[in-house]
Amino acid sequence: MTLRIGMIGPGGMGQAHIDRIRSVIAGGEVVAVSDIAADNVATVAGKYGVKGHHSSQELIDDPDVDAVMICSHGPAHEADVVACVEAGKRVFCEKPLTPDAAGSRAIMAAEERAGRKLVTVGFMRRFDESYRQMKAVLDSGEIGEALMVHCAHRNPTVPPHYTWDMAINDTAIHEIDTMRWLLGEEFVSARVDRPRKTSLRFEHLQDPLVLILETESGVRVDDEVFVNCQYGYDIRCELVAERGVVSLGDQEKILRRDTGRAHHAIVQDHNERFRGAFVTEVQEWITAASEDRHTGSSAWDGYAAACVCDAGVKALTEDGVVAVEMIDKPALYA
Ligand code: ISE
């Protein structure tokens, strides 16, 4: 069976997903799109020869749509994810599930009413081969217990609509989720250090910043978020454990030597850096959705990350350590 997918919000990220579903992923077909921007619906529907819907509800209700992918911007997610759950349709929602924890709780409540997990959150780094190898090393016990993790998340630049809180709830959220998964525990507190600001981008941003998180067992994670670093998309991670250290390698494909130097290219965006992870993630979702099973990060993972983001956003405007507040995990997600 081919899973017939309706996509809400096919911007750059959404169209990258459509392209991989059409070229390298098996078992799925995007058959319809909707967008708050009517001109984008017409453009994307025409480009791919698919149905264009006037509203997300119309797309969700379409009997030709088996499952939904949501690639719109974060604040629009909650209503559409809840509508998918209420319609009994499986939904893959790009990160963040919602920009704040209250929105994610509403989604969990909808799933609890439905009595099943229908929501998968697009935290793609869990599918990245290098992060997976790091986790395998830690889980093997060979380097002992994790003590600290040093992360960096650098973007060449961000668009003008990128708001000050997005450094946490749109960018650092990747490290927040990946570290929860890597370390297998929740975060209990957040703090933000604010270095000198770059002069090369918007005044309304604290750029760069360092988010400092602590887990239940006391592991300290620092995350440098620098979203206008100019030179490339650079993701770094070094885990320090009791008997060893494991880090992400540099992601270059080739190393070149010429004119008295050795050098390699640096990727410029997440689609390049996490190409393989996106393919694995979407392939696994399509396979599972076709078999009516849940896979990948759940609404609980979206909620837990949002709770840490809430604390991080607060810490960005206040001095000191902010506690992460979370409800107990509902039985559905046990
Ligand atoms: C963007 O939404 C992403 O998900 C990228 O991976 C991240 O690097 C960027 O900062 C976000 O704005």
Side-chain angles (χ1 to χ4, degrees), residues 13 94-96 122 124-125 153-159 161-162 166-167 169-175 225-227 233-235 269-271 274 278:
M13 190 68 235
E94 264 306 334
K95 50 62 56 178
M124 81 296 194
R125 290 196 189 179
H153 188 151
R154 302 190 190 127
N155 292 180
T157 189
V158 284
H161 67 254
Y162 187 96
M166 288 172 75
N169 60 29
D170 196 61
T171 297
I173 191 168
H174 282 295
E175 280 77 27
V225 178
F226 186 13
V227 295
Y233 186 83
D234 198 4
I235 302 302
D269 67 27
H270 55 268
N271 270 315
F274 290 107
F278 281 123

Side-chain angles (χ1 to χ4, degrees), residues 252-265:
E252 75 272 15
K253 303 269 190 302
I254 55 165
L255 182 63
R256 177 169 161 180
R257 286 180 177 77
D258 60 19
T259 58
R261 60 186 184 148
H263 55 117
H264 64 79

Side-chain angles (χ1 to χ4, degrees), residues 33-45 52-55:
V33 293
S34 72
D35 200 313
I36 43 166
D39 55 339
N40 193 42
V41 179
T43 307
V44 180
H53 283 294
H54 297 298
S55 71

Side-chain angles (χ1 to χ4, degrees), residues 45-98:
K47 175 175 170 189
Y48 294 105
V50 301
K51 227 190 275 185
H53 283 294
H54 297 298
S55 71
S56 41
Q57 191 64 53
E58 195 180 284
L59 176 139
I60 293 163
D61 292 339
D62 184 341
D64 292 334
V65 166
D66 302 317
V68 178
M69 290 183 87
I70 298 182
C71 303
S72 50
H73 74 313
H77 290 174
E78 179 186 337
D80 289 341
V81 175
V82 168
C84 289
V85 172
E86 287 175 348
K89 292 197 178 175
R90 295 208 172 266
V91 52
F92 173 98
C93 181
E94 264 306 334
K95 50 62 56 178
L97 179 58
T98 58

Side-chain angles (χ1 to χ4, degrees), residues 46-312:
K47 175 175 170 189
Y48 294 105
V50 301
K51 227 190 275 185
H53 283 294
H54 297 298
S55 71
S56 41
Q57 191 64 53
E58 195 180 284
L59 176 139
I60 293 163
D61 292 339
D62 184 341
D64 292 334
V65 166
D66 302 317
V68 178
M69 290 183 87
I70 298 182
C71 303
S72 50
H73 74 313
H77 290 174
E78 179 186 337
D80 289 341
V81 175
V82 168
C84 289
V85 172
E86 287 175 348
K89 292 197 178 175
R90 295 208 172 266
V91 52
F92 173 98
C93 181
E94 264 306 334
K95 50 62 56 178
L97 179 58
T98 58
D100 63 17
S104 295
R105 271 196 78 170
I107 290 170
M108 289 198 294
E111 281 196 315
E112 288 183 273
R113 285 194 300 276
R116 55 196 189 127
K117 293 191 288 183
L118 292 166
V119 180
T120 294
V121 185
F123 284 130
M124 81 296 194
R125 290 196 189 179
R126 295 178 179 220
F127 298 86
D128 177 68
E129 196 45 47
S130 21
Y131 275 118
R132 284 188 165 187
Q133 286 188 26
M134 274 183 94
K135 183 162 173 59
V137 171
L138 180 62
D139 291 350
S140 73
E142 287 164 17
I143 58 169
E145 297 293 337
L147 307 173
M148 296 179 284
V149 192
H150 309 299
C151 307
H153 188 151
R154 302 190 190 127
N155 292 180
T157 189
V158 284
H161 67 254
Y162 187 96
T163 52
W164 63 273
D165 55 317
M166 288 172 75
I168 306 285
N169 60 29
D170 196 61
T171 297
I173 191 168
H174 282 295
E175 280 77 27
I176 291 168
D177 177 68
T178 313
M179 293 305 111
R180 287 183 62 247
W181 163 81
L182 181 72
L183 299 169
E185 51 177 332
E186 300 295 352
F187 286 113
V188 295
S189 72
R191 177 167 78 75
V192 173
D193 278 358
R194 307 178 195 96
R196 177 177 178 174
K197 285 191 193 188
T198 174
S199 63
L200 297 178
R201 219 42 175 133
F202 313 106
E203 192 44 40
H204 70 277
L205 301 181
Q206 171 56 55
D207 193 35
L209 61 80
V210 184
L211 174 66
I212 296 148
L213 302 169
E214 196 176 305
T215 69
E216 291 158 316
S217 74
V219 179
R220 182 184 180 282
V221 174
D222 52 85
D223 187 18
E224 173 206 304
V225 178
F226 186 13
V227 295
N228 290 286
C229 79
Q230 311 294 316
Y231 72 85
Y233 186 83
D234 198 4
I235 302 302
R236 308 191 155 257
C237 182
E238 179 186 62
L239 180 143
V240 181
E242 292 166 306
R243 282 192 299 275
V245 171
V246 56
S247 352
L248 294 180
D250 263 350
Q251 306 294 323
E252 75 272 15
K253 303 269 190 302
I254 55 165
L255 182 63
R256 177 169 161 180
R257 286 180 177 77
D258 60 19
T259 58
R261 60 186 184 148
H263 55 117
H264 64 79
I266 297 177
V267 298
Q268 293 298 309
D269 67 27
H270 55 268
N271 270 315
E272 259 185 284
R273 168 62 183 84
F274 290 107
R275 191 184 303 280
F278 281 123
V279 169
T280 311
E281 169 193 47
V282 176
Q283 179 67 75
E284 282 192 16
W285 177 70
I286 287 177
T287 304
S290 306
E291 296 166 358
D292 201 22
R293 339 180 240 107
H294 183 268
T295 189
S297 304
S298 65
W300 168 260
D301 294 310
Y303 166 75
C307 291
V308 182
C309 288
D310 281 356

